[in-house]
Amino acid sequence: MPVIVRGNGKTWQKRASARQWSIWFGWLLLAALTVYCWQVMTKDTIWAFVQDAPRQAADLASRMVPPRWSYIDKLLWPLWDTINIATLGTLLGILFAVPVAFMAARNTTPSRTLVRPVALFIIVASRSINSLIWALLLVAVIGPGVLAGILAIGFRSIGFVAKLLYEAIEEIDETQVEAISATGASRAQIIDYAIVPQVLPAFCGISVFRWDINIRESTILGLVGAGGIGLQLQASLNVLAWPQVTLIFLVILATVFVSEWVSAKVRQAII
Amino acid sequence: MSGVSSRARQWTRPPVLIKSDRLRWSIYAGALIYLVLAISSVDINPARIYEGLERGWRFVQGFLVPDFTSRWSDIQQGFIESLSMTLTATVAGVLISVPIGIGAARNISPTAVYLVCRTIIALSRSLQEIIVAILFVAMFGFGPFAGFLTLSFATIGFLAKLLAEDIEDIDESQTEAIRATGASWTQLINYAVQPQVMPRLIGLSLYRLDINFRESAVIGIVGAGGIGATLNTAIDRYEYDSAGAILILIILIVMAAEYSSGYVRKWVQ
Amino acid sequence: MLSVRNLTKTYRTGDEALKGVSFDVEPGQLVGLIGPSGAGKSTLIRCVNRLVEPTGGSIFLGNEELTRLSGSRLRAARRRIGMIFQEYALVERLSVMENVLSGRLGYVSFWRSFTRRFPQADVDKAFSLLERVGLTDHADKRADALSGGQRQRVGIARALEQDPELLLIDEPTASLDPKTSRQIMRLIQDICAERNLPAIINIHDVLLAQAFTRRIIGLQAGEVVFDGPPEELDDAALTRIYGEEDWTTMRTAKPGDEESGEHDEEERMAGLA
């Protein structure tokens, strides 16, 4: 939206301000960068495969339906494992996230120069690494199985829960804290009486939200051997048993819908 | 129950969340039973874990003393793929999300369009990135192109949903004022909606860029290109020092993205 | 009782909030602290219980020098000083009873306070205080379910639950309507008289201060510019504190007992008085 500047009685000139030019230049730069990245990315792409994709998709679809319903009895136990991975992993994550959050929040940290940076690093490290990568590492370290999945979900949850929780702690009403400290309360008592009541609803909401996400993530951890329904998915993909894959997708979809519904209900009840 | 009314003036803390005693205790009991069952169904192999501790220690060492050099060309290739995939997928995703997001906003779109757009959003949100990546790899073959499609598709569900919610929350009086001037639908979008949601749209796009980068490190595991494939190989070969180097680079890029996106968001406001 | 000597406070921003303030408060004395916004009233009373760290000078409560304490000794001193806040500062998501009992936090161990098992004597005291302020029926309500006047009475009960030797009261009526304000001031006056408690009240409303306190300290830009009984607070003194203004019109506009919705409260307060 270039600004039209009209001189006093003189001929008009049409020129956007310097800021406007820099904005246009920024967009241009973004477009150029995108095109460049596109070229880099598709350097090795075999376009024949891409053109072939609709036919592949149709072929895949024809092989995927109908789902092999009888396979369901092999999925129930892995499904139970999946839910356990998500739930126990969430609990584990919360257990570590709470102290980390209190150490990271500006108003509750024991030391701003020593403890807070460490807590913030734990949060960013845990958040940057996806639970599937955590699972990949843990399977290599402690062997395949449900335990690796629980730990992977737990490690990933620490950063998520701690980040949202410490932001909630930093937003509390300080006058309530002041009032409790004025009674002569100790640090632990101030946290218990002035801070916990204020952040408890946010904490419950965050935990349930993370549990919902964890249900989604735990369904695929089996791809790298960390237990749950993903193991069946990996096995079926390896033998190209597409009707089984379809059924697994449907089961995952149903689980995700149920968990989303549960988490929405619980969050409603809390607020 | 609390004993306020009793003569002895006992006081106990009233229950915080669930008022009914029976319901509260049955929830506690149910949770306890579930925990016992769940924990007992986790088979733990102490010997294997003990054996793994040594490997875990090697990984910690690899993370503390990372090796950037010996696999540098693989790492470089992986990050170039990941970053280019991230940017193109975010741009494409945003471009597709904007019309879908507008269509999915109840207050400015006709019902038929609204339903179609909401269906697309629900579809994109309910499918895991990894699952989408598996399907796209099966259709388009291995490589970053499948990854690009996966991330674009995932971006739609995220961005269009939040954009639609934002548009539904805008100040109605401004739309009314523009409508009263006799503006057409496109003029309405341009003059009443765009100025109100633009800063948040940019903020959300930057946030999604960050998420897409993190996801790009994962979908490589199922063959959709990027740094995930390199990482997977490094771990499979027990090259923990190279894996540590990759993880450190991922963390650094995520930190840089978070820091600079905060800066850009402040500038846009 | 309380003696403040040459107290100074300079904030990190360089603002001089207090420039050598000195005064003494006798047992049972109700002191009104008045002055324009930014004169340092709030800083002054927060220096007394060290919620704000004074830069210089000293404060004695009895024989103890408050300005030298730290750690658990500071907490022990804080529990001797009750504080009542402007926006009530109740912990809104805790029940009324928990808020009152929180006045005992300086006396009980963390574990006792965490499990909410306070000594029976504390609970008895809390009940009798709730009765005194007229809130017995609300003990198990959440603090954010109460009206402004009720919340301030919980705040008063919390401060008294500490068995304080001194009350610090920060703008107790700033968020209340005129009638509730007078009720709260009357309650504070009565309670201090009953227990021979000294109190320092920060207050914006000069007329309320004159009506309910026996001594007024006027603060202007961090310095005491008036100290005397309310009758001596004439136009010249007000001009010294607040600057030039037509003070006679303020006096003629007497605060009428304006209509408020809290009829039942009025009756309860009348019964108490």
Side-chain angles (χ1 to χ4, degrees), chain A:
Chain A
M1 291 154 273
V3 184
I4 299 167
V5 183
R6 288 172 199 275
N8 255 358
K10 288 186 178 176
T11 52
W12 59 273
Q13 11 169 213
K14 176 181 174 181
R15 174 174 295 154
S17 65
R19 186 180 148 83
Q20 196 62 49
W21 278 115
S22 69
I23 290 173
W24 283 119
F25 185 70
W27 285 118
L28 187 74
L29 211 64
L30 180 67
L33 195 65
T34 309
V35 172
Y36 175 73
C37 282
W38 173 263
Q39 283 168 345
V40 170
M41 184 189 76
T42 53
K43 195 172 46 157
D44 297 325
T45 304
I46 301 162
W47 292 104
F49 281 178
V50 176
Q51 279 165 1
D52 196 33
R55 212 180 53 76
Q56 288 289 334
D59 182 41
L60 195 62
S62 74
R63 272 186 290 165
M64 282 179 87
V65 285
R68 199 179 139 209
W69 298 106
S70 59
Y71 191 58
I72 191 87
D73 52 332
K74 289 230 176 76
L75 293 181
L76 293 178
W77 188 254
L79 193 62
W80 162 253
D81 276 347
T82 300
I83 293 167
N84 288 344
I85 290 173
T87 312
L88 297 178
T90 311
L91 290 177
L92 184 77
I94 290 170
L95 210 64
F96 286 98
V98 170
V100 171
F102 275 95
M103 286 191 277
R106 270 193 204 90
N107 45 356
T108 55
T109 182
S111 152
R112 280 192 195 199
T113 43
L114 286 175
V115 179
R116 187 162 187 263
V118 173
L120 288 180
F121 179 76
I122 293 176
I123 290 173
V124 80
S126 153
R127 268 163 48 79
S128 334
I129 301 175
N130 193 292
S131 49
L132 199 63
I133 295 179
W134 278 117
L136 202 64
L137 288 172
L138 287 160
V139 166
V141 171
I142 62 169
V146 175
L147 184 66
I150 293 173
L151 292 178
I153 291 288
F155 287 168
R156 173 68 182 85
S157 304
I158 292 174
F160 182 91
V161 175
K163 178 169 195 277
L164 294 178
L165 186 59
Y166 98 74
E167 285 169 355
I169 295 173
E170 285 184 349
E171 279 168 20
I172 59 167
D173 176 10
E174 280 295 331
T175 60
Q176 299 180 25
V177 178
E178 203 176 33
I180 295 296
S181 11
T183 67
S186 66
R187 268 187 87 86
Q189 286 173 328
I190 293 173
I191 288 178
D192 180 23
Y193 274 75
I195 297 175
V196 169
Q198 291 192 59
V199 297
L200 198 63
F203 169 73
C204 293
I206 295 164
S207 304
V208 175
F209 184 36
R210 186 65 221 182
W211 174 78
D212 178 19
I213 298 175
N214 282 345
I215 289 271
R216 284 162 190 263
E217 301 211 328
S218 61
T219 55
I220 43 122
L221 290 184
L223 288 178
V224 296
I229 200 166
L231 284 175
Q232 255 60 29
L233 180 60
Q234 177 73 338
S236 305
L237 280 174
N238 280 346
V239 295
L240 298 176
W242 290 102
Q244 291 179 19
V245 173
T246 316
L247 183 70
I248 294 171
F249 283 173
L250 288 176
V251 170
I252 290 177
L253 217 57
T255 319
V256 167
F257 272 124
V258 170
S259 80
E260 200 159 89
W261 181 80
V262 169
S263 106
K265 280 282 156 203
V266 172
R267 270 184 286 167
Q268 254 173 24
I270 292 168
I271 298 160

Side-chain angles (χ1 to χ4, degrees), chain C residues 95-236:
Chain C
S95 69
V96 167
M97 193 61 178
E98 281 169 299
N99 268 293
V100 176
L101 283 171
S102 70
R104 300 305 290 181
L105 287 178
Y107 293 87
V108 301
S109 71
F110 171 72
W111 187 242
R112 264 211 123 120
S113 66
F114 181 74
T115 54
R116 267 51 168 182
R117 280 184 316 190
F118 287 85
Q120 187 58 40
D122 293 354
V123 178
D124 289 341
K125 193 200 307 288
F127 274 119
S128 69
L129 282 169
L130 281 178
E131 201 169 320
R132 176 66 185 85
V133 298
L135 290 174
T136 312
D137 300 337
H138 301 286
D140 276 346
K141 276 194 188 160
R142 244 168 61 168
D144 53 7
L146 302 183
S147 71
Q150 289 173 324
R151 287 190 207 191
Q152 193 54 289
R153 281 187 245 153
V154 178
I156 293 171
R158 172 172 67 188
L160 294 176
E161 177 80 9
Q162 283 175 245
D163 282 329
E165 296 162 40
L166 169 72
L167 277 183
L168 302 173
I169 309 178
D170 189 13
E171 302 283 2
T173 61
S175 7
L176 300 175
D177 64 69
K179 180 173 169 177
T180 319
S181 296
R182 294 182 72 84
Q183 292 170 340
I184 290 291
M185 286 303 287
R186 195 170 297 128
L187 180 65
I188 291 171
Q189 193 184 33
D190 292 348
I191 283 172
C192 287
E194 282 163 22
R195 300 166 177 241
N196 201 26
L197 253 181
I200 302 175
I201 309 183
N202 252 349
I203 190 157
H204 259 304
D205 190 328
V206 177
L207 293 174
L208 271 182
Q210 283 179 306
F212 290 98
T213 64
R214 298 269 50 86
R215 177 183 169 194
I216 285 177
I217 293 178
L219 216 56
Q220 144 78 83
E223 282 168 300
V224 177
V225 293
F226 176 86
D227 190 347
E231 304 80 58
E232 284 177 21
L233 192 68
D234 50 16
D235 289 1

Side-chain angles (χ1 to χ4, degrees), chain B residues 245-257:
Chain B
I246 295 171
L247 290 180
I248 286 174
L249 286 173
I250 293 177
I251 294 175
L252 285 180
I253 292 177
V254 171
M255 277 171 83

Side-chain angles (χ1 to χ4, degrees), chain B residues 2 67 89 108 116 119 137 144 162 186 193 211 220 260-261:
Chain B
S2 85
D67 174 11
I108 51 171
V116 171
T119 313
V137 168
L162 292 176
T186 42
V193 179
I211 298 178
S260 53
S261 81

Side-chain angles (χ1 to χ4, degrees), chain B residues 236-250:
Chain B
D236 277 351
R237 289 184 191 148
Y238 302 111
E239 291 171 353
Y240 292 136
D241 38 6
S242 295
I246 295 171
L247 290 180
I248 286 174
L249 286 173
I250 293 177

Side-chain angles (χ1 to χ4, degrees), chain B residues 84-107:
Chain B
S84 57
M85 199 157 90
T86 304
L87 183 72
T88 45
T90 309
V91 171
V94 171
L95 290 180
I96 304 167
S97 297
V98 169
I100 294 181
I102 293 173
R106 172 150 261 165
N107 52 347

